[in-house]
């Protein structure tokens, strides 16, 4: 199966081709068969490859490479250090512990979302088109995570960017959806420019784009810690990551992406696209290990984004936007882990987050489905008895993301917090930001739970009579993800709690050999104390949410009224969109207007002036030709015509006329000769 690993992305690509070329002619059952069945085959093949990978002998060094064909045989060129390199880019696939994790997450969670979509999108228009885009998205993400070089990763990177634009703007007749799709596309292009520059710099520095080759060279003594070129590469790669994974300052596209269908939100914002930046940084760990400055930026941006987005999530009323800002915040956690050198902890949280965040989005979709499209939590309430399966699964996901043991989120989030405190580049301030964010996360997640499922019903009267549980095609993925949210963290059971940290050991071959400083030595009691403190903080956050939205409904409004300015700032997302519009978007428009005016006034004016001068010279030439040249020619022709009239009269070409003229001439001569005048003239002449 490993020899045919390329079938993993080919299966969803085949489904996309079938839907986008022939889907209009297929029945809904046929669409489901191809569009859901082929991603299911992709997951089964991925699972088989994973099992075979675990059985590979030691000589493979925990990496399986499958070369498909040579893509760019550029040949020899001079590297930045003056040496001669032979640059070749292949199309190939790499399977190692890191890509195994991503492959299983993308295919497994992606398949569940495809199954869920059959029920959620059953009555929507463009059914085949939606699944075509979804399959194409899955193909692009698999290319990204299975690529064996940076350029092929960039192809998948751009593919998921295109598919996100298509899926976010799926309801293209709705202006807000089409605007959100364009916003996501443009903001991601900013980050992609940084990624592309990094790829170019890697090429001239290492002479290769292959992950294995770049990693081996980066760990060579030729490159030293704090190397300026390596730092530039890492920072440019992180620019790409901030765009794709929605970090400050390029996070603004992700909340607006909620305009797409809810399964799109689950697929993009949980398991696939937004985690691509985290995966890319983890994949480039050998480079980042040489750049403490770049790691410091990654940690600082990650921690800042985590608490920045969490504060916005405290006051949002749209159920999907709460989850969107939660995603931004959790991605900040992952980058915080990578920034302190704990790449394995970041990937661990990426995996567990895929379980409970996909579950949260799909459960919110089930709520929206039950309420006939309503997304405002202020118009919900008392739903736990009406849609019990949705409530139970969403509550499990909320507990998991809050870090309540023994659910999956507890293990991964606690590992990040501990590494932020005691890791190679950890700092108590970074831990404090993560700790506060953990409490905020618990509060806003259970604010969502209590406003949606507890208390008194605020559902519109016309909608309340139609509340119903979702169909099985939607509930089965919810239950499956709920189980994974409960047990998914046990594979990373930490040594401090008597576990073996199997997940960390599995990823060790990817991150070993990095010249990171050793972790600080602290007593086990401190680790237990910080662990207990983070759990208690989450419990306190849940308790405050319960008091404000269940015990004393309306107290949230009182808190908002006590600090109206601060509340408005959080509610309006710090006015970042307005600031971007004022400082960037509108200024770009002004520049465009200025350039348009220059084009109309100067460029078009010059071209039009040349055209006018050409027309005027032509008109003058025409008039001169008509009145002078043609006049002289016509006058000469008239003169010639007058002068030639007698000749034309005589020279008719008719013999009879010539005979008549001769006879007439003879008669005239004879009349003149015998006339009295001639005879008298002759007499006198004698």
């Amino acid at each position: 199966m490993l020899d045919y690993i390329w079938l993993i992305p080919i299966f969803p690509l085949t489904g996309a081709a079938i839907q986008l070329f022939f889907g209009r002619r297929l029945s809904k059952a046929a669409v489901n068969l191809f569009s859901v069945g082929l991603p299911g085959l992709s997951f089964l093949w991925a699972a088989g490859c994973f099992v075979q990978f675990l059985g590979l002998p030691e000589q493979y060094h925990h990496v399986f490479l499958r070369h498909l064909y040579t893509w760019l045989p550029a040949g020899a060129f001079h590297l930045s250090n003056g040496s001669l390199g032979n640059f070749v880019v292949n199309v190939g696939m790499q399977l190692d512990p890191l890509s195994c994790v991503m492959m299983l997450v993308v295919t497994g969670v992606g398949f569940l979302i495809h199954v869920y979509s059959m029920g959620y999108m059953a009555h929507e228009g463009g059914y085949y088109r939606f699944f075509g885009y979804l399959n194409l998205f899955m193909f692009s993400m698999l290319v990204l995570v299975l690529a064996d070089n940076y350029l092929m990763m960039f192809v998948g990177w751009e593919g998921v960017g295109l598919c996100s634009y298509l899926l976010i703007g799926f309801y293209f007749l709705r202006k807000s959806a089409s605007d959100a799709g364009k916003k996501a596309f443009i903001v991601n292009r900013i980050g992609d420019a940084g990624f592309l520059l990094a790829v170019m710099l890697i090429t001239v520095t290492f002479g290769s784009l292959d992950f294995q080759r770049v990693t081996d060279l980066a760990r060579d003594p030729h490159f030293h810690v704090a190397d300026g070129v390596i730092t530039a590469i890492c920072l440019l790669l992180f620019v790409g990551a901030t765009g794709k994974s929605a970090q400050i300052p390029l996070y603004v596209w992700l909340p607006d992406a909620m305009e797409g269908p809810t399964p799109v939100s689950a697929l993009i914002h949980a398991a696939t696209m937004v985690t691509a930046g985290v995966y890319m940084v983890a994949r480039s760990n050998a480079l980042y290990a040489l750049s403490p400055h770049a790691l410091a930026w990654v940690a600082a941006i990650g921690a800042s984004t985590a608490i920045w987005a969490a504060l916005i999530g405290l006051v949002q009323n749209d159920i999907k936007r709460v989850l969107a800002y939660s995603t931004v915040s959790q991605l900040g956690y992952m980058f915080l882990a990578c920034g302190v050198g704990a790449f394995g902890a970041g990937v661990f949280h990426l995996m567990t987050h895929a379980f409970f965040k996909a579950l949260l989005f799909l459960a919110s979709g089930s709520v929206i489905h039950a309420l006939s499209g309503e997304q405002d939590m202020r118009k919900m309430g008392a739903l736990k008895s009406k849609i019990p399966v949705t409530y139970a699964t969403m509550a499990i996901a909320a507990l998991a993301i809050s870090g309540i043991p023994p659910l999956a989120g507890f293990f991964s989030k606690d590992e990040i917090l501990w590494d932020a405190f005691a890791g190679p580049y950890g700092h108590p301030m970074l831990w404090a930001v993560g700790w506060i964010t953990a409490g905020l996360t618990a509060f806003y997640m259970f604010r969502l739970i209590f406003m949606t499922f507890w208390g008194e019903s605020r559902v519109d009267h016309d909608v309340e009579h139609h509340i119903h549980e979702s169909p099985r095609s939607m509930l089965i993925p919810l239950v499956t993800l709920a189980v994974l949210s409960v047990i998914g963290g046990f594979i990373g059971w930490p040594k401090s709690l008597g576990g073996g940290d199997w997940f960390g050991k599995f990823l060790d071959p990817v991150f070993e050999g990095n010249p990171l400083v050793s972790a600080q030595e602290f007593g086990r009691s401190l680790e237990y104390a910080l662990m207990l403190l983070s759990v208690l903080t989450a419990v306190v956050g849940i308790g405050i949410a319960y008091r404000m939205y269940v015990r004393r409904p309306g107290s949230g409004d009182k808190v908002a009224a006590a600090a109206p300015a601060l509340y408005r700032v959080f509610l309006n997302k710090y006015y970042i969109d307005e600031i971007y519009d004022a400082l960037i978007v509108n200024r770009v428009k002004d520049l465009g207007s200025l350039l348009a005016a220059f084009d109309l006034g100067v460029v078009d004016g010059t071209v039009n002036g040349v055209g006018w001068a050409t027309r005027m010279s032509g008109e003058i030439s025409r008039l001169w030709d008509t009145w002078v040249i043609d006049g002289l020619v016509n006058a000469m022709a008239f003169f010639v015509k007058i002068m030639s009239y007698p000749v034309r009269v005589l020279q008719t070409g008719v013999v009879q006329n010539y005979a008549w003229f001769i006879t007439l001439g003879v008669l005239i001569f004879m009349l003149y000769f015998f006339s009295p005048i001639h005879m008298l003239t002759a007499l006198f002449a004698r």
Side-chain angles (χ1 to χ4, degrees):
M1 295 182 76
L2 284 173
D3 289 335
Y4 297 94
I5 190 175
W6 49 269
L7 286 174
I8 297 173
I10 288 298
F11 284 133
L13 178 63
T14 303
I18 292 173
Q19 300 313 315
L20 297 178
F21 286 108
F22 311 107
R24 187 184 294 272
R25 300 182 181 91
L26 298 178
S27 65
K28 187 171 290 187
V31 171
N32 293 338
L33 175 64
F34 290 115
S35 296
V36 181
L38 288 171
L41 286 177
S42 182
F43 170 66
L44 292 176
W45 202 271
C49 288
F50 174 68
V51 172
Q52 289 193 358
F53 175 79
L54 294 178
L56 287 178
E58 288 296 325
Q59 61 264 31
Y60 284 96
H61 299 290
H62 306 284
V63 177
F64 175 82
L65 297 173
R66 179 70 169 89
H67 173 76
L68 298 179
Y69 62 89
T70 299
W71 182 13
L72 297 175
F77 76 108
H78 289 283
L79 301 179
S80 59
N81 60 7
S83 62
L84 193 65
N86 184 33
F87 183 72
V88 176
V89 178
N90 297 315
V91 172
M93 296 189 173
Q94 173 176 316
L95 197 63
D96 63 1
L98 179 58
S99 54
C100 279
V101 172
M102 296 300 298
M103 172 185 70
L104 292 174
V105 167
V106 172
T107 56
V109 178
F111 171 65
L112 291 175
I113 293 172
H114 277 74
V115 173
Y116 176 93
S117 299
M118 290 192 299
Y120 191 87
M121 300 295 292
H123 304 292
E124 296 284 350
Y127 188 78
Y128 74 92
R129 180 168 56 88
F130 173 81
F131 275 102
Y133 294 161
L134 216 60
N135 283 187
L136 186 61
F137 187 100
M138 194 168 174
F139 159 76
S140 300
M141 190 65 195
L142 287 169
V143 169
L144 191 157
V145 301
L146 291 175
D148 68 348
N149 63 78
Y150 282 100
L151 193 58
M152 191 172 169
M153 175 194 272
F154 186 74
V155 172
W157 190 277
E158 291 301 294
V160 295
L162 170 64
C163 295
S164 68
Y165 164 74
L166 296 172
L167 287 166
I168 294 169
F170 179 76
Y171 299 121
F172 57 85
L173 295 178
R174 195 167 65 201
K175 187 177 185 303
S176 58
S178 61
D179 287 347
K182 289 183 286 187
K183 185 175 183 179
F185 190 82
I186 293 170
V187 173
N188 273 276
R189 296 294 74 72
I190 298 171
D192 294 351
F195 189 2
L196 192 56
L197 290 173
V199 170
M200 296 176 185
L201 197 52
I202 291 172
T203 301
V204 299
T205 303
F206 296 98
S208 175
L209 291 174
D210 292 344
F211 294 141
Q212 285 298 108
R213 177 66 175 162
V214 172
T215 298
D216 292 341
L217 290 174
R219 291 171 179 169
D220 189 271
H222 174 74
F223 293 99
H224 57 84
V225 175
D227 184 284
V229 176
I230 301 297
T231 297
I233 291 172
C234 292
L235 290 176
L236 287 171
L237 287 174
F238 187 56
V239 169
T242 58
K244 196 67 70 181
S245 295
Q247 298 295 285
I248 294 174
L250 300 179
Y251 70 93
V252 292
W253 67 269
L254 194 145
D256 288 357
M258 297 299 104
E259 293 291 340
T262 300
V264 173
S265 302
L267 187 63
I268 292 178
H269 305 141
T272 57
M273 175 177 165
V274 294
T275 60
V278 180
Y279 167 73
M280 184 259 287
V281 171
R283 173 61 68 196
S284 307
N285 64 90
L287 297 175
Y288 279 92
L290 293 174
S291 180
H293 299 298
L295 284 175
W297 274 104
V298 173
I301 294 296
S304 301
T305 304
I307 194 168
W308 177 277
L311 290 170
I312 299 176
L314 294 176
V315 298
Q316 297 302 305
N317 295 310
D318 186 304
I319 189 171
K320 288 175 65 176
R321 283 189 177 267
V322 174
L323 299 178
Y325 283 106
S326 170
T327 299
V328 176
S329 180
Q330 296 302 306
L331 289 167
Y333 259 108
M334 299 174 204
F335 281 111
L336 171 60
C338 293
V340 298
F343 299 102
V347 175
F348 186 28
H349 194 57
L350 182 157
M351 184 194 71
T352 60
H353 177 264
F355 300 151
F356 52 71
K357 183 52 63 67
L359 175 55
L360 285 168
F361 271 113
L362 296 184
S364 71
S366 183
V367 171
I368 295 168
H369 181 268
L371 298 180
S372 304
E374 183 59 64
Q375 295 184 198
D376 192 335
M377 295 187 299
R378 293 170 296 184
K379 297 181 180 179
M380 300 180 185
L383 294 177
K384 63 180 181 179
S385 60
K386 299 176 181 177
I387 45 176
V389 177
T390 299
Y391 165 66
T393 54
M394 197 169 193
I396 290 172
L399 289 169
I401 196 174
S402 299
I404 302 299
L407 279 71
F410 162 73
F411 296 102
S412 59
K413 184 178 291 187
D414 182 74
E415 185 175 353
I416 291 174
L417 289 175
W418 175 244
D419 287 323
F421 188 89
Y425 292 107
H427 192 278
M429 184 61 70
L430 294 174
W431 171 85
V433 173
W435 170 63
I436 294 171
T437 303
L440 297 176
T441 301
F443 173 81
Y444 68 66
M445 285 310 309
F446 275 86
R447 172 179 177 267
L448 181 152
I449 293 294
F450 294 142
M451 289 184 69
T452 303
F453 296 101
W454 291 55
E456 297 181 357
S457 176
R458 300 177 300 279
V459 180
D460 289 342
H461 181 72
D462 294 336
V463 175
E464 194 163 13
H465 296 290
H466 303 287
I467 297 176
H468 59 282
E469 188 62 275
S470 299
R472 285 187 179 181
S473 61
M474 295 171 65
L475 294 181
I476 291 175
L478 294 184
V479 174
T480 304
L481 288 169
V483 172
L484 291 173
S485 298
V486 172
I487 68 173
F490 286 100
I491 61 173
W493 188 284
K495 295 179 181 178
S496 60
L497 296 178
D501 191 17
W502 183 86
F503 189 82
K505 290 180 179 179
F506 178 66
L507 289 177
D508 276 345
V510 180
F511 306 123
E512 66 183 0
N514 291 334
L516 294 173
V517 297
S518 300
Q520 304 173 54
E521 294 295 334
F522 292 97
R524 188 62 59 84
S525 58
L526 178 60
E527 184 176 357
Y528 291 150
L530 295 180
M531 187 185 302
L532 179 61
L533 184 59
S534 66
V535 173
L536 289 177
T537 303
V539 173
V540 169
I542 296 172
I544 294 174
Y546 178 78
R547 180 180 178 84
M548 292 178 63
Y549 295 97
V550 178
R551 291 287 300 276
R552 296 183 178 180
S555 58
D557 296 333
K558 295 179 181 178
V559 173
L566 187 62
Y567 174 76
R568 285 196 299 271
V569 168
F570 291 157
L571 184 64
N572 291 284
K573 295 100 57 181
Y574 306 106
Y575 299 97
I576 294 298
D577 284 317
E578 291 77 5
I579 293 172
Y580 281 179
D581 284 342
L583 297 182
I584 300 175
V585 177
N586 291 334
R587 300 295 73 79
V588 171
K589 290 180 180 178
D590 292 341
L591 178 61
S593 299
L594 180 63
L595 293 176
F598 178 81
D599 183 64
L600 291 172
V602 178
V603 178
D604 285 0
T606 301
V607 174
N608 293 337
V610 171
W612 179 84
T614 303
R615 288 197 305 273
M616 288 303 298
S617 63
E619 187 67 19
I620 293 172
S621 177
R622 187 185 66 80
L623 292 175
W624 172 265
D625 186 65
T626 301
W627 292 99
V628 179
I629 304 301
D630 286 358
L632 290 174
V633 171
N634 292 336
M636 292 176 64
F638 180 74
F639 177 75
V640 171
K641 184 177 181 180
I642 295 299
M643 296 301 294
S644 64
Y645 181 75
V647 178
R648 289 189 293 109
V649 172
L650 295 175
Q651 297 297 328
T652 62
V654 180
V655 176
Q656 293 90 332
N657 291 346
Y658 295 157
W660 188 84
F661 283 124
I662 292 172
T663 304
L664 180 62
V666 171
L667 291 175
I668 292 173
F669 177 76
M670 291 179 64
L671 287 174
Y672 172 73
F673 187 78
F674 293 107
S675 66
I677 296 174
H678 180 267
M679 293 177 66
L680 289 173
T681 302
L683 181 63
F684 285 116
R686 292 176 181 168

